[in-house]
Amino acid sequence: GGDDLVIGVSTSVRDTGLLDELVDEFKRQRPDQAATVKPVAAGSGQLIELALRGEVDILIIHLPGAEAKLIADGDGIDRRELMHNFFALVGPPDDPARAQSTLTMAEALKRIAATEKTFISRGDNSGTHLREMALWRQAGIDPVGESWYQESGAGQGQSLLVASDKGAYTLVDSGTFVVFQERLELELYVSDEEPNQYSIIRVNPDKHGVNEAAALAFAEFLTSPAGQRIIAGFGLEKYGEPLFVPAGPGSDSEPAATPER
Amino acid sequence: MTQPKMGVRGILVERAGHRILFVEELDVSPGEVLAVVGPNGAGKSTLIHVLALLERPSEGEVLFDGRPVRGDLLPYRRRMAVVFQEPLLLDATVESNVGSGLSLRGVPRAERAHRVRRWLERFGIAALARRSAHTLSGGEAQRVSLARALVLEPEVLLLDEPFAALDEPTRQALIDDLDRALAETGTTVVFVSHDRAEALRLGDRVAVIIGGRIRQVGPPSQVFAAPADEEVAAFLGVETIVPGRISAVEEGLAVVEVSSCRVEAASALEGPSAGEVLVCLRPEDVVLSPAEDRPAATSARNRLPSVVRRVVRSGAQVRVELDAGFPLVALITKQSLEELSLEAGSRVVASFKATAVHLIPRHARPQSPSG
Amino acid sequence: MTQPKMGVRGILVERAGHRILFVEELDVSPGEVLAVVGPNGAGKSTLIHVLALLERPSEGEVLFDGRPVRGDLLPYRRRMAVVFQEPLLLDATVESNVGSGLSLRGVPRAERAHRVRRWLERFGIAALARRSAHTLSGGEAQRVSLARALVLEPEVLLLDEPFAALDEPTRQALIDDLDRALAETGTTVVFVSHDRAEALRLGDRVAVIIGGRIRQVGPPSQVFAAPADEEVAAFLGVETIVPGRISAVEEGLAVVEVSSCRVEAASALEGPSAGEVLVCLRPEDVVLSPAEDRPAATSARNRLPSVVRRVVRSGAQVRVELDAGFPLVALITKQSLEELSLEAGSRVVASFKATAVHLIPRHARPQSPSG
Amino acid sequence: MELIWDGIREAFRLIFTGNAEVYEIAFLSLAVSGAATGIALIIGLSIASFLAFRAPPGRTLALSLLNSGMALPPVVVGLVVAVMLWRTGPLGQLHLLYTPAAIVIAQAVIATPVVTALSVVALQTLHPKLRLQVLALGASRWQAAWLLFREARLPLIAAAMAGFGAAISEVGASMMVGGNIKGSTRTLTTSTVLEVSRGNLEAAMALAFILLVLVYAVMLTLTIVQQRRRAS
Amino acid sequence: MELIWDGIREAFRLIFTGNAEVYEIAFLSLAVSGAATGIALIIGLSIASFLAFRAPPGRTLALSLLNSGMALPPVVVGLVVAVMLWRTGPLGQLHLLYTPAAIVIAQAVIATPVVTALSVVALQTLHPKLRLQVLALGASRWQAAWLLFREARLPLIAAAMAGFGAAISEVGASMMVGGNIKGSTRTLTTSTVLEVSRGNLEAAMALAFILLVLVYAVMLTLTIVQQRRRAS
Ligand SMILES: Nc1ncnc2c1ncn2[C@@H]1O[C@H](COP(=O)(O)OP(=O)(O)OP(=O)(O)O)[C@@H](O)[C@H]1O
Ligand SMILES: Nc1ncnc2c1ncn2[C@@H]1O[C@H](COP(=O)(O)OP(=O)(O)OP(=O)(O)O)[C@@H](O)[C@H]1O
Ligand SMILES: [Mg+2]
Ligand SMILES: [Mg+2]
């Protein structure tokens, strides 16, 4: 494989700015790697494609189903959980579907469907989109094709802007919502019960010509207390709350904890 | 005199800080053909542009039918037609080029086709009708450009060297044709030409522009016979222009001393009747006869024994350069050349009438043009 | 004869399926000046393009110094200079336009500046040196175009109507100048002109192109005196061309019946010595005298009583259209006009020498050109 | 590499199976970019005529601004147009955001400087006296413009093609002001981007191929019109 | 609306506080797009000379392809170039992906059809006999090309500006083949997009403004060169 370390990163991680901080710190710690680190942000589906072709060395991704398949097929190895936040249902301030008073996501979605209030779906096979589909299934509704169900096919932030402009509901990860909140006329009504889990997967060096050593080093760094501490603190200063919850304790040299499922 | 069809008053055109045209006053009567002549860069094309209302002079105004041109220029422009020095044809067929002015005026298709055809035939380019204008030869393009203007049958026709690229038989035929057509239709014409013969042939009056100013305007014979100043004389091809001094004026004839010779001139000289002058003589006014000839009873008052310096064929004629005490040029026919069997060194007598001599006061200043 | 400097063999140029030039053979000797004349659209410019190696004919080849031109054309092109019919100047100053050919040849700056200046002065445009070429008047542009070619001092000079836009004094001066300069440097020249006088003045030989073919090549006097066919004759301005019939040949003189008249001709007629012919007569060869004049002892064998139909001034000369039983044109001077006091209806005697009459067999076919 | 071939194969499948959604998207792309180019041409030719023929003072300045306009990143145009069209923005009352009309506006903003800047040059390369000749023939102001446009059709059609190319190939602005909403504002480029981010690279290739085939049909037509009778 | 003013204010702050990262990004943008335009000019002028002067058979076809090339979506170009440069791609051994060189290649692919198509037209609008005149003056093939380029400098510089505009304003390809890697392949447009997706619209505006100021400096220079001595 090449000497570069190509890191495939989900766009939401890049968009928040967390990626830059992590990479900067990694470069500081490993000056030998500094010149070769190439973090590349892309849609989750695109990341999986790249991994399958051995075009990236390591992934930071939140796409549970595809992650499992990647590992099952032997293209990915060494999955480690990195951090998480939550999905949330957001909608217009007057809450025409009265989602506020529901307890679960599925229930809220049922109300939206019942009242036929506009719902913006990202429709891009991203983690958020996949989770949204799962929630619709839970609610027992197939919204695709309904006039109130619109697929924006855009990034997370863009979808929020669309929803805000149209006075629509949408599903969003809590981190992105925090970042965009002040531009939006949207309020958070229901939080998802399941976390939005980001994990690290290395591409299998036995199957693809990848930069194993560097990828391992980066994975180690991310799960190290130093890496975890950055995650824990990220966003505090700017938004008053952290955007992600690190998977590990974020202190000392303990290995990252395996989260309860 | 009827009211002038077109005119200019106090026109000044400047380019890059240079005055390239300055005309106090110039009028063209209805139906008149004004020939504009002058050396290269004199401002002739500029004058045409000003008259065509295509160039706004920095000072002065253009008159049309006696009134200053103001407001929308389109109605005026539609009463004129212009042939530019370069034939700027549109990237279309010959036919649609020639018809373009008509279709801009909304002339119906059928009439347009008819008129276009007539003028194409008149210019001998009917066979080129469907050809793309950009494939034409130089002369063919100029014919199209001419036809495009004439098909409009305008009140005023402005022509800038319209015949320069035409072959000689065509040019002659066209000039004949045009002369007749213009007289019939009463079109007012201003045309620029380098060809003095053309100007003489077509022009009712001739205007001489030199250095951006009109130096002289008048009937061709007058302008050619009595150039207003040295530059005009030189330009008009008065090839013998020698300095002299008026020594006496007898019976309306001035006696001028030129080098060692005496020349009698009937030229009406304004200003001081004695002093330094330029003696102008047109080569075709000089007649040559054998040196031994007895003086015949002719009206030629000046008879100067001369030596032939050089014989040059010039078209159908022969130019003989003589030394008559001063340089003198004569234009004679081939027959005369044969009969006199002239060659360099031959001795001849050069004679010319006193009326053929034109005197210009020395250091003459350009005059204001007289309309 | 020395080896020709340039020549063409079996040249065929086609455009859009039309044969626009077809020349079997044409040679130009070193130092010779070949004048090419012909009506508009005849193919003159095309011939220049072919000679300049700018247009590859679909058939035939161009010879340079006796050998066919093959391979890289650049070395050949660098030994020639071309003046196009339109002055295509580069968007730069006059100076750098005139110097462009030299700088392409890598002539050092100092020498270039010197030569450019000399030629600018020669063409009277030194004052325009720093002007942008696109602001020039028509004649100024043509001077620049000429200077740009002549500054190269080439072996072969190809000129396509180089003087059309020049004013007459300049043109005369330039032709004089050029004539001398070309003779001195031994430059081989092919030049196209509409002006018959120019062709006569400058050309060592004249080639007449009509309809894409060279109809006649020869010394000017021969070509003008004995046009090869009717079209050549008409183009060259032999204005009287009337059909006749040879009735007898006596003592080397052909007696031709034209309408009701008899005309004697000394023209050497090839082919059948009797039959239908065209009688050609140049207007300047016709002498007019008063009708009552007794026949003088002149060499004019033909004396035809005629009636004046029309009198037309044509430049410094006068064209008199006569009816002599058939239409006849005479060119006379202003003096003669005055002396004879001619006007429409006057009776005169038109006389011309038998040697001035040229006979062309009727329905003559174009001949192959003879180099 | 085989990705590209797979994409082309997929494109043919989509075209020939009559995939309604693809047809709809393709039609929207052409309609929107065509409209934007039309607007750009109207504005561009007016400004260009003024700048080229009137040669007003400050023309070079105006031209340099127009030329800079050719480098406007679509995403910036999208952002600015979105700001205008936001509900709280100055044009919010029109409720145009996330409609095809918004994309037309944004693409027109992108195409106009391209069309204008190239048209100015197109008209400037005409023989300077040709305008006088046309006026001398008796053309009114509009007739003169029309005749001169016809004379300059070669570079003017090139300008139009460049404008159309810029409009139909951009994605940032369409995304921003259109929102890539399925069945409404999804164009070939935005759905290509979507397919890329979904990881459906063959599908992305297929859409791109369909785009290029459509574009080629348009450009071929225009090129033939442009080059007609320029043969000799 | 105030977003735009805030953006401009932010731009001035970034410029005058000497934000090293911004300077670096701006420099990279100019360098990369300049290089891409240079490559496009070399290729474009060669092809254009051939098509315009030789008028080979099939010229209209070639031109229509070039014109279609003006409508290549950057993201598609990015995808294709990326496929070529992938580790497993035909040019993988060069290790160019996610380097500035890759962006140069992708932008050159974008700019070349623009420059070429417009240059063909630029050369076609020259007086057809001018080429003969130049050859008649004794110009070699290269000298002739140079002189004719100079004559056509007005539309050729416009072609170069359009190519540069297309290159520097595109984002899809830079993103795809450059990866928008901080300190390495981040350009003004990719970071603008990044700021937009981060919701930092003022910052995005500021970067866009800086881009436009730089572009304006380049375009003004080129426009002045282009329009010089065209005054009269
Ligand atoms: N921009 C300019 N700067 C300086 N002089 C200029 C400019 N444009 C034109 N001129 C000059 O104006 C003069 C008049 O030009 P014009 O075309 O009227 O001459 P002309 O009499 O028609 O000459 P020609 O017989 O050569 O056609 C010329 O000497 C020309 O060089
Ligand atoms: N594409 C074409 N299709 C048909 N005929 C053409 C084409 N291009 C040129 N011709 C014709 O070729 C002929 C020769 O042109 P050329 O320019 O050589 O004439 P010329 O003798 O120089 O005429 P002029 O005295 O008018 O300059 C012209 O009649 C012209 O119309
Ligand atoms: Mg002029
Ligand atoms: Mg010609």
Side-chain angles (χ1 to χ4, degrees):
Chain A
D3 303 320
D4 295 342
L5 170 61
V6 181
I7 307 163
V9 192
S10 165
T11 43
S12 51
V13 177
R14 180 201 64 184
D15 289 353
T16 55
L18 174 60
L19 177 65
D20 284 349
E21 289 204 11
L22 290 172
V23 169
D24 284 352
E25 181 58 26
F26 177 64
K27 285 180 176 174
R28 255 193 301 280
Q29 289 196 4
R30 296 291 303 272
D32 56 316
Q33 299 282 350
T36 63
V37 180
K38 296 191 166 165
V40 179
S44 301
Q46 192 181 351
L47 288 181
I48 298 290
E49 264 306 300
L50 290 173
L52 285 173
R53 293 168 190 271
E55 299 297 340
V56 293
D57 300 305
I58 186 168
L59 294 175
I60 301 177
I61 194 169
H62 60 142
L63 207 59
E67 289 169 29
K69 183 166 188 301
L70 199 65
I71 291 179
D73 291 350
D75 291 295
I77 56 167
D78 188 20
R79 176 176 183 273
R80 309 180 191 198
E81 298 194 333
L82 178 63
M83 60 190 186
H84 68 270
N85 56 17
F86 292 92
F87 291 116
L89 181 72
V90 299
D94 58 348
D95 193 14
R98 295 195 304 105
Q100 169 105 64
S101 54
T102 57
L103 289 174
T104 65
M105 279 282 199
E107 216 172 315
L109 292 181
K110 278 183 198 157
R111 288 209 187 165
I112 290 168
T115 53
E116 304 206 332
K117 297 302 171 205
T118 312
F119 185 92
I120 302 293
S121 166
R122 282 181 61 184
D124 61 354
N125 294 354
S126 61
T128 311
H129 182 219
L130 293 183
R131 179 61 191 158
E132 179 210 315
M133 308 254 276
L135 288 169
W136 285 114
R137 268 195 303 280
Q138 277 180 29
I141 296 168
D142 180 10
V144 177
E146 301 292 342
S147 63
W148 50 267
Y149 182 82
Q150 298 188 349
E151 289 182 32
S152 81
Q156 187 65 79
Q158 176 72 27
S159 293
L160 280 173
L161 290 170
V162 173
S164 171
D165 189 78
K166 289 186 174 282
Y169 293 88
T170 192
L171 192 70
V172 62
D173 72 275
S174 53
T176 307
F177 186 63
V178 166
V179 167
F180 275 81
Q181 200 162 18
E182 66 172 293
R183 289 206 188 285
L184 305 171
E185 285 181 54
L186 293 175
E187 278 174 20
L188 190 154
Y189 293 121
V190 190
S191 284
D192 196 2
E193 40 277 16
E194 273 197 36
N196 173 23
Q197 182 66 55
Y198 289 85
S199 38
I200 313 167
I201 297 176
R202 286 196 290 124
V203 175
N204 188 354
D206 297 336
K207 203 166 170 188
H208 301 285
V210 296
N211 189 348
E212 182 183 6
L216 191 59
F218 189 62
E220 288 298 338
F221 161 73
L222 288 179
T223 50
S224 75
Q228 293 286 302
R229 219 178 299 119
I230 289 171
I231 294 170
F234 184 75
L236 254 177
E237 194 182 327
K238 193 164 177 196
Y239 306 105
E241 53 183 304
L243 301 183
F244 299 97
V245 180
S251 59
D252 293 340
S253 55
E254 268 180 61
T258 316
E260 76 282 16
R261 256 259 147 171
Chain B
M1 189 172 134
T2 58
Q3 161 163 291
K5 185 75 190 170
M6 280 205 86
V8 296
R9 292 286 178 281
I11 288 292
L12 172 63
V13 179
E14 292 173 314
R15 290 268 174 71
H18 298 279
R19 295 184 154 204
I20 61 167
L21 184 68
F22 179 61
V23 180
E24 272 296 357
E25 189 180 336
L26 181 69
D27 284 317
V28 195
S29 309
E32 186 185 33
V33 178
L34 177 71
V36 177
V37 298
N40 291 137
K44 305 182 294 296
S45 299
T46 311
L47 177 64
I48 293 287
H49 279 76
V50 168
L51 287 170
L53 306 175
L54 296 171
E55 171 125 32
R56 199 177 282 281
S58 45
E59 281 177 29
E61 56 188 9
V62 178
L63 310 181
F64 201 99
D65 280 340
R67 276 183 301 277
V69 170
R70 297 253 163 73
D72 187 10
L73 302 178
L74 185 61
Y76 296 103
R77 289 207 189 109
R78 292 231 166 136
R79 296 162 71 186
M80 308 195 246
V82 191
V83 174
F84 285 64
Q85 193 167 6
E86 285 168 88
L88 292 163
L89 302 182
L90 300 174
D91 186 9
T93 61
V94 164
E95 207 167 45
S96 76
N97 260 287
V98 174
S100 55
L102 293 175
S103 62
L104 290 173
R105 283 163 179 73
V107 173
R109 176 179 298 271
E111 186 190 339
R112 201 165 73 214
H114 177 72
R115 282 168 69 175
V116 165
R117 178 122 309 253
R118 198 171 70 223
W119 282 94
L120 286 178
E121 273 159 15
R122 211 138 159 184
F123 280 98
I125 45 176
L128 305 177
R130 314 233 156 219
R131 271 268 291 285
S132 163
H134 284 182
T135 66
L136 300 178
S137 80
E140 289 165 346
Q142 197 161 34
R143 292 176 197 209
V144 173
S145 167
L146 264 165
R148 180 170 65 172
L150 290 170
V151 74
L152 297 174
E153 290 160 18
E155 295 173 40
V156 176
L157 195 53
L158 304 169
L159 308 174
D160 195 352
E161 308 230 20
F163 312 121
L166 300 185
D167 61 53
E168 216 154 304
T170 306
R171 185 195 304 224
Q172 295 307 339
L174 214 70
I175 291 179
D176 266 20
D177 219 42
L178 212 61
D179 197 18
R180 250 192 308 274
L182 295 178
E184 274 167 29
T185 57
T187 311
T188 307
V189 182
V190 178
F191 88 102
V192 170
S193 177
H194 282 139
D195 190 342
R196 294 180 290 226
E198 230 168 76
L200 274 169
R201 172 85 178 72
L202 277 179
D204 295 322
R205 280 194 305 155
V206 174
V208 185
I209 305 195
I210 299 179
R213 285 169 173 271
I214 296 195
R215 298 294 184 84
Q216 194 171 9
V217 192
S221 59
Q222 184 198 311
V223 170
F224 276 74
D229 61 53
E230 185 174 354
E231 279 178 291
V232 172
F235 173 73
L236 289 177
V238 183
E239 290 198 44
T240 298
I241 305 178
V242 287
R245 204 172 178 290
I246 297 181
S247 59
V249 178
E250 298 159 358
E251 299 164 20
L253 280 185
V255 178
V256 188
E257 282 168 18
V258 182
S259 302
S260 54
C261 318
R262 278 169 54 109
V263 170
E264 293 187 8
S267 167
L269 191 64
E270 282 139 53
S273 60
E276 303 295 319
V277 291
L278 285 171
V279 178
C280 305
L281 196 51
R282 302 179 53 76
E284 59 266 39
D285 289 336
V286 178
V287 176
L288 301 184
S289 44
E292 61 275 16
D293 244 20
R294 277 177 306 113
T298 72
S299 60
R301 295 194 58 98
N302 296 298
R303 294 178 54 82
L304 304 175
S306 313
V307 179
V308 174
R309 283 265 168 268
R310 206 155 83 103
V311 176
V312 191
R313 297 200 57 164
S314 164
Q317 297 169 291
V318 181
R319 240 172 111 252
V320 182
E321 300 179 10
L322 302 158
D323 180 358
F326 56 92
L328 187 65
V329 181
L331 207 59
I332 62 173
T333 59
K334 281 198 300 184
Q335 280 82 0
S336 308
L337 184 72
E338 281 169 26
E339 284 164 22
L340 296 167
S341 58
L342 292 183
E343 51 182 20
S346 306
R347 312 201 135 264
V348 289
V349 171
S351 45
F352 46 94
K353 302 185 198 172
T355 51
V357 180
H358 174 60
L359 301 182
I360 301 176
R362 195 76 170 278
H363 309 304
R365 288 274 77 90
Q367 301 174 329
S368 305
S370 58
Chain C
M1 188 173 137
T2 57
Q3 161 161 292
K5 185 74 190 170
M6 279 204 87
V8 296
R9 292 287 177 279
I11 289 290
L12 172 65
V13 179
E14 292 173 315
R15 289 270 174 70
H18 299 279
R19 295 185 155 205
I20 60 168
L21 185 68
F22 179 60
V23 180
E24 273 295 356
E25 189 179 337
L26 180 69
D27 283 317
V28 195
S29 310
E32 186 185 33
V33 178
L34 177 72
V36 177
V37 299
N40 291 138
K44 306 182 293 298
S45 299
T46 310
L47 177 65
I48 293 286
H49 279 75
V50 168
L51 287 171
L53 307 174
L54 296 170
E55 172 125 30
R56 197 176 285 279
S58 43
E59 282 176 28
E61 57 189 7
V62 178
L63 310 181
F64 200 101
D65 280 340
R67 275 182 302 276
V69 169
R70 298 251 163 75
D72 187 10
L73 302 179
L74 185 61
Y76 296 103
R77 290 206 188 109
R78 292 229 166 140
R79 295 162 71 184
M80 307 195 246
V82 190
V83 174
F84 285 65
Q85 193 167 5
E86 285 167 89
L88 292 163
L89 302 182
L90 300 174
D91 186 8
T93 61
V94 165
E95 208 167 44
S96 76
N97 260 286
V98 174
S100 55
L102 294 176
S103 63
L104 290 173
R105 284 164 179 74
V107 173
R109 177 179 298 270
E111 186 190 339
R112 202 164 74 213
H114 177 73
R115 282 167 70 175
V116 165
R117 178 123 308 257
R118 198 170 69 223
W119 282 93
L120 287 177
E121 272 158 16
R122 212 141 161 183
F123 281 97
I125 46 176
L128 304 177
R130 313 234 157 217
R131 272 268 291 287
S132 162
H134 285 181
T135 67
L136 299 178
S137 79
E140 288 165 348
Q142 197 160 37
R143 292 177 198 207
V144 173
S145 168
L146 264 166
R148 180 170 63 174
L150 290 170
V151 74
L152 296 174
E153 290 160 17
E155 294 174 40
V156 175
L157 195 53
L158 304 169
L159 309 174
D160 195 352
E161 308 231 21
F163 312 120
L166 300 184
D167 61 50
E168 215 155 302
T170 307
R171 185 196 305 224
Q172 295 306 340
L174 215 69
I175 291 178
D176 268 20
D177 219 41
L178 213 59
D179 197 18
R180 249 192 309 273
L182 295 180
E184 272 168 30
T185 56
T187 312
T188 306
V189 182
V190 178
F191 89 102
V192 170
S193 177
H194 284 136
D195 191 343
R196 294 180 290 225
E198 229 168 77
L200 275 169
R201 171 87 178 72
L202 277 179
D204 295 322
R205 280 193 307 156
V206 175
V208 185
I209 305 197
I210 299 179
R213 285 169 173 272
I214 295 194
R215 298 296 183 85
Q216 196 171 8
V217 192
S221 59
Q222 183 198 312
V223 170
F224 276 74
D229 61 54
E230 185 175 355
E231 281 178 291
V232 173
F235 173 72
L236 289 177
V238 182
E239 291 196 40
T240 299
I241 305 179
V242 287
R245 205 174 177 292
I246 297 181
S247 58
V249 179
E250 299 160 358
E251 297 166 20
L253 281 185
V255 178
V256 188
E257 283 168 19
V258 182
S259 304
S260 55
C261 316
R262 279 169 51 109
V263 170
E264 294 187 7
S267 167
L269 190 63
E270 282 139 56
S273 59
E276 303 295 317
V277 290
L278 286 169
V279 177
C280 306
L281 197 50
R282 303 179 53 77
E284 59 266 40
D285 289 335
V286 178
V287 176
L288 301 185
S289 43
E292 60 276 14
D293 247 21
R294 278 179 304 112
T298 72
S299 60
R301 295 193 59 98
N302 297 296
R303 294 178 54 81
L304 305 176
S306 314
V307 180
V308 173
R309 285 264 168 269
R310 206 157 83 104
V311 176
V312 190
R313 296 200 56 163
S314 164
Q317 295 169 292
V318 181
R319 243 173 108 251
V320 182
E321 299 178 10
L322 303 158
D323 180 359
F326 55 92
L328 186 65
V329 182
L331 207 59
I332 63 174
T333 61
K334 280 199 298 184
Q335 280 82 359
S336 308
L337 184 72
E338 281 169 27
E339 284 165 23
L340 297 168
S341 58
L342 292 182
E343 51 183 17
S346 304
R347 313 200 134 263
V348 289
V349 172
S351 45
F352 46 92
K353 301 186 197 171
T355 50
V357 180
H358 175 59
L359 300 181
I360 302 176
R362 197 78 170 278
H363 311 301
R365 289 274 78 90
Q367 300 174 329
S368 302
S370 58
Chain D
M1 284 303 287
E2 82 276 25
L3 183 60
I4 295 170
W5 301 119
D6 289 350
I8 293 174
R9 202 167 311 124
E10 171 71 3
F12 279 107
R13 201 188 59 73
L14 286 173
I15 295 169
F16 291 113
T17 58
N19 186 312
E21 194 187 339
V22 167
Y23 281 140
E24 197 180 294
I25 290 176
F27 175 77
L28 185 73
S29 286
L30 277 185
V32 160
S33 301
T37 311
I39 294 172
L41 274 172
I42 293 169
I43 301 175
L45 287 177
S46 316
I47 300 179
S49 306
F50 178 73
L51 290 179
F53 300 141
R54 293 296 157 88
R59 175 169 71 171
T60 300
L61 199 80
L63 254 174
S64 61
L65 285 171
L66 284 170
N67 286 327
S68 305
M70 295 199 290
L72 276 178
V75 58
V76 173
V77 173
L79 186 55
V80 172
V81 172
V83 167
M84 298 290 161
L85 296 181
W86 273 348
R87 274 196 271 166
T88 55
L91 303 175
Q93 293 317 304
L94 302 177
H95 296 297
L96 290 177
L97 204 57
Y98 309 124
T99 66
I103 310 184
V104 171
I105 294 173
Q107 290 195 348
V109 171
I110 290 169
T112 300
V114 174
V115 172
T116 314
L118 295 176
S119 297
V120 173
V121 170
L123 297 177
Q124 280 186 305
T125 55
L126 284 176
H127 193 296
K129 291 213 180 98
L130 197 61
R131 185 164 161 268
L132 299 185
Q133 173 68 71
V134 162
L135 291 176
L137 281 170
S140 68
R141 189 161 302 176
W142 294 111
Q143 289 174 326
W146 170 244
L147 283 176
L148 293 169
F149 290 168
R150 257 191 23 192
E151 284 299 297
R153 64 180 176 276
L154 193 66
L156 283 182
I157 293 178
M161 290 195 284
F164 179 71
I168 204 165
S169 67
E170 74 74 36
V171 59
S174 304
M175 203 59 132
M176 188 79 76
V177 303
N180 190 24
I181 295 166
K182 190 173 167 189
S184 150
T185 57
R186 191 161 288 181
T187 65
L188 282 168
T189 48
T190 58
S191 44
T192 303
V193 169
L194 177 59
E195 293 301 345
V196 169
S197 72
R198 276 179 180 168
N200 297 336
L201 302 187
E202 286 87 359
M205 276 293 178
L207 290 169
F209 186 74
I210 291 172
L211 172 69
L212 290 179
V213 168
L214 287 180
V215 162
Y216 184 68
V218 173
M219 296 300 194
L220 182 63
T221 313
L222 290 175
T223 308
I224 288 172
V225 171
Q226 177 194 43
Q227 299 285 327
R228 201 176 41 191
R229 278 217 273 119
R230 272 272 161 181
S232 97
Chain E
M1 284 301 289
E2 81 277 26
L3 182 62
I4 296 169
W5 301 121
D6 289 350
I8 294 175
R9 200 166 316 122
E10 170 71 5
F12 279 109
R13 200 189 60 73
L14 286 174
I15 295 169
F16 291 113
T17 59
N19 184 313
E21 195 186 338
V22 168
Y23 282 139
E24 197 179 294
I25 290 175
F27 175 78
L28 185 73
S29 286
L30 278 185
V32 161
S33 301
T37 311
I39 294 171
L41 274 172
I42 293 170
I43 300 174
L45 287 176
S46 316
I47 299 178
S49 305
F50 178 73
L51 290 179
F53 299 142
R54 293 295 156 89
R59 177 169 71 170
T60 300
L61 199 81
L63 254 174
S64 62
L65 285 171
L66 285 170
N67 286 326
S68 304
M70 296 199 289
L72 276 179
V75 59
V76 174
V77 172
L79 186 55
V80 172
V81 172
V83 167
M84 298 290 162
L85 296 182
W86 271 347
R87 289 173 180 173
T88 55
L91 303 176
Q93 292 318 304
L94 302 177
H95 295 297
L96 289 178
L97 202 58
Y98 309 128
T99 66
I103 312 184
V104 170
I105 294 172
Q107 290 194 348
V109 171
I110 290 169
T112 300
V114 175
V115 171
T116 313
L118 295 176
S119 297
V120 173
V121 171
L123 297 178
Q124 280 186 303
T125 56
L126 283 177
H127 192 297
K129 291 214 181 98
L130 197 61
R131 184 163 162 268
L132 298 185
Q133 173 68 73
V134 162
L135 291 176
L137 280 170
S140 69
R141 188 160 302 177
W142 295 110
Q143 288 173 327
W146 170 245
L147 283 176
L148 293 169
F149 290 168
R150 257 191 24 190
E151 285 299 299
R153 63 180 176 275
L154 193 65
L156 284 181
I157 292 178
M161 289 194 285
F164 180 71
I168 204 166
S169 68
E170 75 73 37
V171 58
S174 304
M175 207 57 130
M176 189 83 76
V177 303
N180 188 26
I181 296 166
K182 190 176 163 192
S184 150
T185 58
R186 192 162 286 181
T187 65
L188 282 168
T189 48
T190 57
S191 43
T192 303
V193 168
L194 179 60
E195 294 301 344
V196 169
S197 63
R198 278 177 180 172
N200 295 336
L201 302 189
E202 286 86 1
M205 275 294 177
L207 290 169
F209 186 75
I210 291 170
L211 172 68
L212 290 180
V213 168
L214 286 179
V215 162
Y216 184 68
V218 172
M219 295 300 193
L220 182 63
T221 313
L222 290 174
T223 308
I224 288 173
V225 171
Q226 178 194 40
Q227 299 284 327
R228 202 175 40 188
R229 277 219 273 118
R230 273 271 161 179
S232 100

